Amino acid sequence: MNVVEAGRVPVIVMGQGATALGILRAVAMAGIPAYVACPPDDLTTRSRWYRPVPGAPWDGRPGPAAEDALRATPLKRAVLIAGADDIALWLPSLPSDLQERFPVSTAGHAVQALLQDKAAFARHVEHLGIPHPRTFHLGSLAEVDAVPMESLERVFIKPVNSQRFSDVVGAKGVWVHTRDELRDTWARLHAQGFSLMAQEYIPGPATEHFFVDGFRDASGAYPGLFVRQRMRMSPPDFGNSSCSCSVPLDRTEEAVGQVRRLLDDVGYRGIFSAEFKRDPRDGQFRIIEVNTRAWTYVEFAARHGVNVCEMAWSDALGEPVRAVSRSYPTGKLCVDLYHDLSSVGRAQTSGIGTAMRVAMQWARADLHVFRWNDPRPALHMLGPLLLRRVTRTRDTAPAAGQGSSA
């Protein structure tokens, strides 16, 4: 028996963690009914708007089990929105019997693969003449030895596809300082089955990172764009933003133009988030990557008028996508409080002045997961995080009588 939502076609959020929670809240802001496919103990399940997809239990992972779950659900129709790379790559290839019932605003599989594969991405942006960090594919020992280490300032190894790498290695990249270290690190990671590349690290602090977030619809229009600047990050080298600030589009006009040129060239459709770093050596915005799905801070953009999840819903259903103002509020902050505590603690500057400045930022910022009208996800996440921090502090503290005598 089909379940029909009153009035509007619902959304099924596929994913987990803060990204899935952000999608769910953005959809709720738009007044669109939603269901979530996520792991059973995910923080999203604590949200006041959470409802599991009716039918057989489903943890949100793509693949044959997901196809079976979609066929079995009593929902008559629903729009699918991806919260992870593997889901975004899977959605364009839904079997034909599911495509009409579960529409998606997405690019084709080949476009998704091009933008997600960092080696193919690097080659394509180089072909287009879009500034990008110097990048070298590491498919063999000969290619490893061909990396011009002597002419590069700082080098790190990163995966061609990052999702599994982060799960296994626990980081987005690994520093290498010498040719021998490059060879040894490549051999170790290559033996674990990773496809790898070496990339020059663009110098400069976290504040040189900018993100052009937005939506490109089926007609090729950009009904919503939102730019944020990274203020702090955690961990410091290959981490994620712990504090972000909305900035005007015209402040990053070069970056906005470059991502539009790239997405127009490949015929992209859907939600995206492009990361750039401004190179202090020449002032150019160098593109790092493009996320082809909803990103971790998608709710932050929605709170300030650029709700790309609502746009994806309209576009998937073949409806006109309402363009929003390009003059969204700027100078707005979003803080991942737990990770920002670590970021601030590692900062070289200290003192009461710094503490007061950061405290004032936190007081006026949007908090990443916590919301007064939906507090349970943050409380669910806070307990285990505090326990890990207490355990780590206890395990690294010196035993009695072994402290410093200074």
Side-chain angles (χ1 to χ4, degrees):
M1 181 177 183
N2 285 330
V3 173
V4 181
E5 285 283 350
R8 312 188 90 181
V9 175
V11 160
I12 293 178
V13 179
M14 293 179 61
Q16 59 183 306
T19 302
L21 178 65
I23 298 170
L24 175 61
R25 287 172 170 173
V27 169
M29 283 183 225
I32 301 168
Y35 299 89
V36 183
C38 68
D41 197 40
D42 189 71
L43 66 89
T44 310
T45 64
R46 270 60 180 181
S47 173
R48 61 182 292 188
W49 293 288
Y50 169 77
R51 290 185 297 173
V53 179
W58 174 28
D59 64 5
R61 285 182 292 184
E67 295 170 11
D68 292 342
L70 288 171
R71 290 188 180 100
T73 182
L75 291 173
K76 183 177 180 180
R77 200 169 186 227
V79 171
L80 303 178
I81 297 183
D85 290 343
D86 58 347
I87 299 169
L89 192 60
W90 172 75
L91 284 176
S93 302
L94 274 179
S96 56
D97 66 308
L98 295 176
Q99 290 178 8
E100 175 62 28
R101 188 177 166 200
F102 300 101
V104 184
S105 175
T106 186
H109 185 274
V111 173
Q112 287 279 351
L114 169 66
L115 296 177
Q116 287 196 26
D117 184 311
K118 291 180 173 53
F121 175 80
R123 290 192 297 268
H124 195 76
V125 296
E126 183 176 0
H127 169 72
L128 293 177
I130 295 174
H132 180 265
R134 295 176 69 185
T135 304
F136 308 89
H137 184 255
L138 304 179
S140 66
L141 188 57
E143 289 183 321
V144 172
D145 288 338
V147 176
M149 294 289 289
E150 299 76 13
S151 66
L152 302 174
E153 290 190 22
R154 298 180 76 189
V155 179
F156 64 98
I157 287 180
K158 63 189 288 187
V160 170
N161 297 102
S162 59
Q163 193 164 328
R164 177 174 164 263
F165 187 89
S166 296
D167 293 340
V168 174
V169 179
K172 294 182 177 181
V174 179
W175 288 114
V176 290
H177 303 91
T178 65
R179 185 167 298 282
D180 286 343
E181 191 175 358
L182 174 65
R183 295 184 68 169
D184 292 345
T185 304
W186 174 81
R188 173 172 56 85
L189 295 172
H190 181 71
Q192 296 181 57
F194 293 111
S195 297
L196 302 163
M197 54 202 294
Q199 189 168 90
E200 180 181 29
Y201 181 77
I202 304 301
T207 51
E208 295 292 356
H209 287 262
F210 293 83
F211 299 82
V212 180
D213 305 326
F215 186 81
R216 187 177 189 270
D217 67 21
S219 72
Y222 293 83
L225 291 168
F226 184 83
V227 178
R228 55 196 163 91
Q229 180 181 13
R230 175 178 281 165
M231 307 307 292
R232 290 184 291 273
M233 65 188 294
S234 180
D237 293 324
F238 305 114
N240 295 312
S241 301
S242 62
C243 179
S244 294
C245 181
S246 62
V247 297
L249 291 176
D250 59 11
R251 184 173 170 186
T252 57
E253 187 175 353
E254 176 189 340
V256 172
Q258 298 289 22
V259 74
R260 291 187 61 158
R261 182 177 164 211
L262 169 63
L263 299 184
D264 289 347
D265 177 75
V266 299
Y268 186 78
R269 176 189 177 196
I271 296 169
F272 66 87
S273 176
E275 179 180 358
F276 290 82
K277 189 168 186 182
R278 186 169 52 192
D279 193 332
R281 297 169 296 188
D282 58 13
Q284 286 192 316
F285 285 90
R286 299 192 183 277
I287 194 166
I288 307 296
E289 65 179 3
V290 176
N291 283 317
T292 59
R293 54 171 174 82
W295 61 97
T296 305
Y297 284 82
V298 70
E299 182 190 355
F300 177 49
R303 289 186 193 183
H304 296 290
V306 185
N307 193 334
V308 297
C309 297
E310 181 181 14
M311 295 174 189
W313 176 80
S314 297
D315 191 61
L317 295 173
E319 299 177 359
V321 181
R322 180 179 61 87
V324 299
S325 174
R326 295 171 60 88
S327 300
Y328 51 79
T330 59
K332 300 296 184 180
L333 296 171
C334 187
V335 169
D336 179 345
L337 191 56
Y338 177 82
H339 291 98
D340 210 34
L341 283 165
S342 299
S343 176
V344 171
R346 278 191 294 263
Q348 295 180 351
T349 57
S350 60
I352 188 66
T354 299
M356 289 295 293
R357 177 177 58 81
V358 171
M360 290 177 65
Q361 287 182 343
W362 289 345
R364 66 184 178 90
D366 292 334
L367 297 182
H368 185 218
V369 171
F370 180 79
R371 284 181 65 173
W372 286 109
N373 67 345
D374 190 29
R376 292 182 65 233
L379 297 176
H380 174 71
M381 184 178 69
L382 186 61
L385 290 176
L386 290 177
L387 180 61
R388 282 203 296 270
R389 175 160 288 190
V390 169
T391 302
R392 187 165 57 244
T393 302
R394 182 191 62 202
D395 291 345
T396 57
Q402 295 181 8
S404 170
S405 60

